[in-house]
Amino acid sequence: MNVGVLVSGSGTNLQALIDRHQRGDLMPAQLVVIGANVPDCSALSRARQAALPTFVVDHRDYPERPVFDRALVESLRSHQVDLVVLAGFNRLLGRELLDAFPGRVVNIHPALLPAFPGVRAQRQAFEAGVKIAGCTIHFVDHGVDTGPIIAQAAVPVNDDDDEEALRLRILAEEHRLLPAVVRAIAERRVVLEGRRVRVLGAAPGTEPLRSL
Ligand code: GRF
C-alpha cells in the first residue's frame, strides 16, 4: 500500500514513520511521497534526509480551498498514493481531497477525541484539568476531528506537569501508535463499520494496537 504523508511542521511523527520504514517494519506500507504546505518546514528536511520524494503545495498560492485540494490530489495521485496520512498537517481538507481518497485519509490528533478537537488540543486538556490525556488516530471526514476513531493511546496527567511536559508525553505515544496504525491499515486489518472501526488481530510476532 502506497502511503503519502502530508506535513506542515516539525515532523516528529513523520520521523517515527520513516524510522520504521527504514527498518522494514512498516511493510506492507511503503512511504512513497511526503507533501507539505509550508515550504521550509522541518518535516520536509526530514523527508529529504531520508531520500524520500517530496512536493510542496503552498496554501498561500491557492486562496480557494477547492483549488488547493485539487493540487494536493494531483500530486498525491502522480505518486500512486493509496493512503493519505496527515501527520501534523495544519490545513483543513475539503471534499475534493476526501472524495478522491474515500476512507483513505487518516489523521493523528493529540487528544482523546471526541474531547478537545481543533487546535491546541493539549492545552485544552491541560486547562480542563483532566487526569488522563492521550492521542487519537481517526479517519478524516468532513468535520474537524470528527471521523471514525481507529486507535487511541492514553497517558496520565501528573499534578506537577506543565503543558509542555504533557505535550511530550502524548507525543511519545503518537510516535508509537501512528506507525502501528499505518501498518495495520496496509495489512487490511482495519475495517470501517459505520461509525465504528474494528481492528482485526495482528499476525503473531507483530505488535497489537494497544490503546492502554
Ligand atoms: C502532533 O501533536 C499531531 O498530533 C498534531 O500535530 C503535531 C505534529 O507534530 N496533529 P510533528 O510535526 O509530527 O512533530
Side-chain angles (χ1 to χ4, degrees):
M1 183 172 284
N2 287 345
V3 178
V5 185
L6 296 181
V7 292
S8 308
S10 63
T12 63
N13 277 289
L14 171 65
Q15 191 67 54
L17 289 169
I18 290 172
D19 292 347
R20 290 272 299 247
H21 188 235
Q22 288 179 337
R23 291 204 304 268
D25 207 10
L26 209 55
M27 289 295 277
Q30 281 273 109
L31 296 181
V32 294
V33 70
I34 313 303
N37 63 316
V38 177
D40 55 357
C41 66
S42 313
L44 266 187
S45 315
R46 293 176 189 270
R48 292 189 185 117
Q49 182 73 27
L52 288 168
T54 61
F55 67 82
V56 174
V57 177
D58 188 336
H59 59 277
R60 291 168 300 190
D61 298 334
Y62 299 86
E64 294 185 15
R65 201 167 78 179
V67 190
F68 172 67
D69 272 43
R70 278 200 288 277
L72 287 173
V73 169
E74 209 170 285
S75 296
L76 292 164
R77 282 205 173 132
S78 72
H79 288 86
Q80 282 84 46
V81 165
D82 304 306
L83 174 70
V84 181
V85 175
L86 309 183
F89 189 65
N90 67 9
R91 309 304 290 178
L92 293 179
L93 297 173
R95 187 167 297 282
E96 282 72 15
L97 193 135
L98 297 179
D99 288 354
F101 296 96
R104 291 281 173 202
V105 184
V106 301
N107 179 47
I108 182 153
H109 182 76
L112 293 175
L113 292 170
F116 314 126
V119 296
R120 300 204 183 90
Q122 306 96 324
R123 176 176 299 179
Q124 293 182 54
F126 186 76
E127 289 180 351
V130 296
K131 300 299 185 191
I132 295 176
C135 60
T136 302
I137 299 174
H138 63 94
F139 286 112
V140 177
D141 66 8
H142 295 288
V144 177
D145 301 323
T146 52
I149 291 171
I150 303 168
Q152 296 185 301
V155 300
V157 184
N158 299 330
D159 288 347
D160 57 358
D161 276 347
D162 58 13
E163 196 186 315
E164 179 64 4
L166 179 59
R167 187 185 74 81
L168 292 174
R169 194 175 303 122
I170 294 170
L171 195 59
E173 286 299 300
E174 295 183 37
H175 297 164
R176 179 185 67 76
L177 200 60
L178 184 59
V181 167
V182 168
R183 180 170 171 171
I185 292 172
E187 289 172 336
R188 308 204 181 269
R189 292 194 290 112
V190 175
V191 183
L192 186 55
E193 296 173 343
R195 284 284 312 166
R196 295 181 63 85
V197 175
R198 183 190 297 271
V199 180
L200 307 176
T206 57
E207 82 197 75
L209 269 187
R210 180 169 58 83
S211 271
L212 283 173

